[in-house]
């Protein structure tokens, strides 16, 4: 709920020194004080914009809004006597507000006639005044809030409507699950506004459908068959509600089960017994719900089967009639058929003659020569493979690396040098002796 009093106090334009002017019927200022008139007008426009957007306020009427905007102070209450000036300007000039009755003007049947269009061209369109007895109670819409809501609705609902026809209650429930709070009436207004840009969007008797050429939804002329869709949409909504109810019950059983375990852990058997009984009752209810859901899903499938059968039988009948007409036009007498058969035989006889082979080599000789050529090719392949195998030299043991070979040579050299040194020493000793 919007706290209007708080919005007033937080807005600097609505200070005590300006309250008398803002809440008066300031229409006289337009001639005597144009600047003061525009200051009041703009102050109210900005304030109303914050009111509409702050509370996501989409639809209202002049009478309701005037009472809603009552400003209470410690000294007195202020009623916005000049509110009609602001609303009229927002409707006729800014186009930031529209009347609900203008939403469906996109339809051919609801567009103004040629005489009215000529009248408007010469004398101008009628200026809307919210003080009018009829207009004062007509629903006004904030275009900014309307377009914001339509953007969300298009994103959330259009993918679903492409495949199913649903009623308004079902669509509203889907939005509520996504934390989008909107009344059924405002949802309808948004969908009607979206029809301006989406001709395939159809609404009738609370049924919303997207025309996509589906023969199960539309008749031969492309018009939606709402009588059939109403039963299907009601069935879909019932399934949706039961599924939601079943999910809630399953969650309740889970919560009770946790409490039951806690009670058992705390040795509180009296409470645990009660919780166990509740759990059993909920489980029985869940089973009943699941059985009902199964039956409803089966019913929906059978309805869809019946629709498909109707389409198929229609196609069969139409094509049967077409085949009858074609066969009547293509009927051939026995004499024509016999003559055609004789000509076909004559054609085959001529083809056989023209297709006779000249003297060909005997097949046996051809097969023999082909086998010899194949044998030669295989022999050549074996010889090439043998040559490759012979060219490979496989080592008998693992060779030492370069570093290993160098180390062995060095050791042999050291042994040889040691031997030479021993021989020299032996010769020296022999000479001395």
């Amino acid at each position: 709920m919007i706290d209007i009093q708080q919005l007033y106090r937080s807005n600097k334009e609505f200070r005590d020194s300006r309250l008398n002017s803002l809440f008066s019927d300031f229409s006289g200022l337009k001639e005597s004080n144009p600047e003061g008139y525009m200051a009041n007008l703009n102050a109210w426009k900005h304030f109303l914009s914050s009111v509409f957007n702050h509370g996501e306020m989409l639809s209202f009427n002049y009478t309701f809004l005037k009472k809603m905007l009552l400003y209470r102070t410690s000294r007195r209450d202020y009623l916005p006597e000049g509110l009609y000036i602001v609303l009229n300007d927002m409707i006729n000039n800014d186009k930031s507000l529209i009347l609900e009755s203008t939403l469906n003007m996109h339809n051919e049947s609801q567009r103004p006639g040629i005489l009215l269009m000529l009248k408007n061209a010469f004398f101008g369109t009628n200026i809307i005044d919210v003080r009018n007895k009829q207009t004062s109670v007509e629903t006004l819409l904030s275009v900014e809030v309307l377009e914001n809501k339509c953007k969300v609705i298009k994103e959330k609902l259009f993918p679903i409507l492409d495949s199913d026809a649903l009623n308004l209650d079902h669509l509203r429930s889907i939005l509520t699950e996504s934390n989008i709070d909107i009344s059924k009436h405002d949802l309808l207004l948004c969908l009607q506004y979206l029809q301006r840009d989406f001709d395939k969007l159809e609404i009738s008797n609370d049924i919303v459908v997207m025309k996509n050429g589906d023969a199960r939804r539309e008749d031969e002329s492309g018009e939606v068959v709402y009588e059939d869709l109403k039963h299907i949409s009601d069935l879909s909504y019932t399934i949706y509600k039961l599924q939601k109810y079943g999910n809630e019950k399953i969650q309740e059983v889970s919560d009770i089960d946790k409490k039951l375990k806690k009670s058992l852990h705390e040795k509180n058997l009296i409470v645990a017994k009660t919780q166990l009984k509740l759990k059993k009752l909920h489980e029985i209810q869940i089973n009943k719900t699941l059985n009902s859901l199964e039956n409803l899903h089966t019913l929906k499938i059978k309805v869809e089967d019946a629709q498909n059968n109707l389409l198929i039988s229609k196609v069969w009948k139409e094509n049967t009639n077409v085949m009858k007409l074609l066969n009547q036009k293509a009927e051939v007498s026995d004499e024509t058929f016999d003559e055609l058969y004789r000509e076909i035989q004559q054609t085959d006889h001529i083809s056989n003659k023209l297709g006779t082979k000249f003297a060909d080599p005997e097949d046996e000789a051809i097969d023999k020569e082909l086998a010899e050529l194949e044998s030669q090719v295989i022999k050549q392949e074996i010889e090439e493979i043998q040559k490759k195998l012979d060219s490979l030299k496989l080592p008998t043991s693992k060779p030492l690396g370069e570093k290993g070979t160098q180390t062995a040579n060095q050791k042999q050299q050291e042994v040889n040098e040691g031997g030479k040194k021993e021989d020299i020493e032996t010769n020296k000793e022999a000479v001395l002796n």
Side-chain angles (χ1 to χ4, degrees):
M1 186 69 181
I2 306 172
D3 190 345
I4 294 293
Q5 308 305 315
Q6 183 61 35
L7 287 178
Y8 275 132
R9 297 186 186 98
S10 62
N11 192 307
K12 295 180 181 179
E13 295 287 344
F14 288 82
R15 53 187 181 273
D16 291 345
S17 60
R18 293 203 62 201
L19 292 180
N20 288 329
S21 177
L22 285 168
F23 284 87
S24 65
D25 184 346
F26 56 89
S27 58
L29 295 178
K30 190 171 185 178
E31 298 294 334
S32 61
N33 183 7
E35 292 182 358
Y37 175 85
M38 291 305 300
N40 284 354
L41 183 63
N42 289 329
W44 273 111
K45 283 183 180 180
H46 294 151
F47 181 73
L48 288 179
S49 179
S50 66
V51 170
F52 299 151
N53 287 290
H54 182 78
E56 295 186 344
M57 190 174 169
L58 173 61
S59 58
F60 48 88
N61 60 50
Y62 168 62
T63 304
F64 167 80
L65 191 61
K66 187 174 182 180
K67 293 178 181 178
M68 176 183 168
L69 293 176
L70 177 71
Y71 186 21
R72 300 182 180 277
T73 67
S74 57
R75 291 179 297 174
R76 54 167 287 196
D77 293 344
Y78 292 89
L79 196 64
E81 300 295 341
L83 180 63
Y84 75 93
I85 304 170
V86 186
L87 297 181
N88 287 344
D89 191 79
M90 295 175 78
I91 295 170
N92 296 304
N93 298 325
D94 295 349
K95 310 297 181 184
S96 56
L97 294 180
I98 58 175
L99 295 172
E100 179 183 349
S101 58
T102 64
L103 280 180
N104 292 321
M105 294 298 287
H106 69 289
N107 293 331
E108 291 288 344
S109 60
Q110 294 171 313
R111 288 178 181 171
I114 185 67
L115 293 177
L116 182 59
M117 291 174 67
L118 291 172
K119 177 185 174 183
N120 292 339
F122 282 101
F123 302 103
T125 55
N126 294 328
I127 301 299
I128 296 173
D129 189 345
V130 293
R131 292 174 300 176
N132 180 281
K133 184 177 180 181
Q134 180 179 353
T135 312
S136 63
V137 294
E138 185 171 350
T139 301
L140 297 171
L141 307 173
S142 166
V143 174
E144 184 179 1
V145 177
L146 180 63
E147 290 182 344
N148 289 337
K149 287 186 177 292
C150 284
K151 184 178 179 181
V152 176
I153 288 170
K154 177 185 171 184
E155 179 184 347
K156 296 290 184 181
L157 300 183
F158 274 33
I160 303 171
L161 289 171
D162 279 337
S163 56
D164 289 313
L166 303 176
N167 60 40
L168 287 174
D169 290 323
H170 194 165
L171 294 173
R172 184 168 175 261
S173 297
I174 293 172
L175 292 174
T176 302
E177 278 193 350
S178 300
N179 297 319
I180 300 170
D181 187 19
I182 186 171
S183 67
K184 183 178 178 179
H185 178 254
D186 285 355
L187 174 58
L188 177 59
L189 295 176
C190 289
L191 290 170
Q192 289 174 339
Y193 188 76
L194 284 168
Q195 282 184 295
R196 295 183 171 201
D197 298 322
F198 298 93
D199 293 334
K200 292 183 178 180
L201 183 64
E202 294 280 346
I203 309 166
S204 179
N205 297 327
D206 283 0
I207 307 300
V208 185
V209 61
M210 192 72 74
K211 293 175 67 175
N212 58 4
D214 189 341
R216 292 173 299 181
R217 299 181 180 185
E218 303 162 23
D219 58 19
E220 295 177 355
S221 62
E223 295 299 321
V224 177
V225 185
Y226 285 101
E227 184 178 354
D228 294 340
L229 288 180
K230 184 181 187 310
H231 302 298
I232 298 171
S233 63
D234 289 345
L235 180 57
S236 296
Y237 186 41
T238 304
I239 291 173
Y240 170 82
K241 287 192 293 184
L242 275 180
Q243 286 175 334
K244 187 177 179 182
Y245 174 77
N247 292 336
E248 290 172 354
K249 285 296 176 184
I250 290 171
Q251 184 59 49
E252 287 180 18
V253 169
S254 177
D255 294 339
I256 293 172
D257 191 56
K258 291 177 183 177
K259 294 176 182 178
L260 174 60
K261 291 177 180 178
K262 183 179 178 182
S263 298
L264 291 172
H265 180 72
E266 295 173 352
K267 306 299 182 183
N268 194 344
L269 297 181
I270 297 176
V271 174
K273 185 177 180 180
T274 302
Q275 290 168 338
L276 182 58
K277 287 181 179 179
L278 287 173
K279 180 184 176 182
K280 294 295 182 184
L281 289 172
H282 281 299
E283 287 175 344
I284 292 171
Q285 193 63 37
I286 289 171
N287 288 331
K288 290 181 180 178
T289 303
L290 292 176
N291 289 335
S292 299
L293 271 173
E294 184 178 345
N295 291 335
L296 289 174
H297 276 294
T298 302
L299 176 60
K300 187 178 180 182
I301 291 171
K302 295 301 180 184
V303 170
E304 292 172 352
D305 281 346
Q307 289 178 322
N308 291 333
N309 290 339
L310 180 62
L311 292 176
I312 295 169
S313 64
K314 183 180 178 182
V315 171
W316 272 95
K317 290 177 182 177
E318 291 175 350
N319 282 278
T320 300
N321 294 331
V322 169
M323 289 179 69
K324 284 180 180 179
L325 291 173
L326 292 174
N327 287 334
Q328 288 174 2
K329 294 179 181 180
E331 187 175 355
V332 179
S333 65
D334 292 340
E335 183 180 349
T336 303
F337 182 80
D338 291 340
E339 184 178 354
L340 177 63
Y341 182 69
R342 286 194 300 271
E343 293 302 321
I344 290 173
Q345 285 184 320
Q346 181 64 19
T347 301
D348 291 341
H349 179 67
I350 294 171
S351 296
N352 290 334
K353 279 189 174 183
L354 293 176
T356 301
K357 293 183 179 181
F358 295 104
D360 288 337
E362 294 183 2
D363 288 343
E364 186 177 351
I366 292 294
D367 291 340
K368 183 178 180 181
E369 184 176 350
L370 182 62
E372 290 176 356
L373 291 172
E374 185 180 8
S375 178
Q376 290 176 7
V377 171
I378 294 173
K379 185 177 180 181
Q380 288 176 357
E381 290 177 351
I382 293 172
E383 289 176 354
E384 289 177 2
I385 293 171
Q386 187 63 46
K387 288 179 181 179
K388 290 181 180 180
L389 290 174
D390 293 341
S391 66
L392 297 175
K393 293 181 179 180
L394 300 176
T396 56
S397 62
K398 187 176 180 181
L400 293 173
E402 293 180 0
K403 186 175 179 181
T405 305
Q406 185 180 2
T407 304
N409 293 336
Q410 287 175 352
K411 288 183 177 180
Q412 185 63 40
Q413 187 177 355
E414 289 175 359
V415 171
N416 293 337
E417 288 178 355
K420 289 179 181 179
K421 288 180 180 180
E422 289 178 0
D423 292 341
I424 293 169
E425 292 294 332
T426 304
N427 292 334
K428 281 183 180 180
E429 289 178 0
V431 172
L432 291 173
N433 293 330

